[in-house]
Amino acid sequence: MYTTKTIEELHELLINGEITSKELVQESIDKSYKIKEICNAFVTIIDNPKEGNVAEELLSGIPYGIKDNYSTEGILSTGSSNTLKDYIPFFSATAVKNLEKHGAIAVNKTSMDEFGMGGTGTTCHTGIVRNPWNLNHITGGSSAGSAAAVAAGVYPYALGSDTGDSIRKPAAYCGIVGYKPTYGMISRYGLFPYASSLDHCGCLTRSVKDAAIVVDAMKGIDVKDQTSWDSSHIHLYERINGNIEGKKLFYIKEIVNIENYPNASDKLKIHLDNFQKSLDLLRNKGAQIEEVSIDENLIKAIPSVYECISRAEATSNMSNLTGISFGPRGNGKNIVEMMKDYRTNGFSSMIKRRFVVGAFVLQKENQEKYFVNAQRVRRLLVDKMNKLFENYDALIMPVSTGYAPTIDDSKDGITNEETIVLEEHLQIGNFGGFPSITIPNGFINNLPVGINITGKCYDDENVLNIAYALECEMPYKNQVAKLKEDN
């Protein structure tokens, strides 16, 4: 099984002629069909992908997956929504084109929560995506199919997008690496917009070095995305060395302290204990780690701020989905009736609820009270983080409350108010556009859990190096889920 190897390993095998790119790609396609049956991870499998030549480029000749909200020329791109179930773009996203220039070969489009608006992987128009570690559990979302496919060893990496934690939480739930670089490092041109001020392109891999290799190839300034910036001076892969002597990290007391959870489950207790053990591993490598206290009222506002801003931006961004310009036409006697029918029958109930909230907070009489105030609190949170980054190299935190919930538990949508901030704190990385990476941090009840490192903007090299240093101290690099068919 070659597709379970790292990018570096595959490149060496290809260069030495031990396997051809055609053989490797076919293995990935064959595995895609198996994982589609088991995990429901794909919208489209590309049976006849573009051929690539093996060159000095590390990604050349190696297969990968693309989340279905990236436009791909001539290939179905649905955003996992019935409203775009037949949509085939005439252009490819800049991030995809950049990978093609490096010789990467796309073999499938991965399932996702509809338009990225979900954190479970259960709202894809093709059905529920199942966690390859345990098929009764969710993958997390919205980059559900990408996470499942990488974890199952279909290929070494897949593309994702992250608006609140949509790369990093699925990575934690699936025992892999999820990396969201600084906002604008990767062009968003061709990525279906969810909430433009929060959206990030990124990747899911099985090692930190692989994440560095992929983003090095994806990044770059783009005249088609005015939020992109020149990152040519940043060399993620080259700068990884694992030396973190003297680095200063912090974690947030109000979120991590077990005493703040009087009804803590055994799962949560073990998860937070594992987190502290990982901090000790970093201390042994020369890092300094301190507990920092932040105003609890500010911390508790994180989920509400995210809900308000993301819903409002999504409602505005997706107003073009009318069935008139593209997508299947709705029924009706006039344009208004056609649009109403298209949007009523095309969107899931979850999407429609979010649009209702977004429209409400954007109404003129409500904007100041809700949308503008949410932006003010966002600014307070970002300012607080930037102030901390003046003294610290990175924030390190556990991801969520532990392992992935079961599919049945995720359907009821009940929020635990006691632990909601622990579940949603990764949204800080989107508020400020900070580089943020999740890596595996062990297992609880045979299901993976994760740990996250977030740093100041443009300091991606440092963030990845800290993650790599920790990864080297744990036995979870390049781990592949044990599927039932493998038992």
Side-chain angles (χ1 to χ4, degrees), residues 244 249 251 270-287 289 396-398 439-443 449-453 466-467 469-471 473-476:
I244 58 169
L249 287 75
Y251 61 90
I270 295 170
H271 187 41
L272 294 182
D273 185 56
N274 285 349
F275 170 71
Q276 293 295 337
K277 290 176 180 176
S278 294
L279 299 187
D280 289 338
L281 294 177
L282 289 172
R283 291 187 179 102
N284 291 338
K285 298 202 74 170
I289 304 175
I396 185 165
M397 296 286 286
I439 67 172
N441 192 42
F443 290 81
V449 295
I451 191 169
N452 178 265
I453 298 161
I466 294 169
L470 181 55
E471 179 186 68
E473 296 301 305
M474 298 189 292
Y476 312 120

Side-chain angles (χ1 to χ4, degrees), residues 25 46 49-50 62-66 72 75 96 100 104-108:
V25 168
I46 305 169
K50 296 178 182 178
I62 296 177
Y64 75 104
I66 303 174
T72 45
I75 301 171
V96 172
E100 288 178 352
I105 302 174
V107 295
N108 54 48

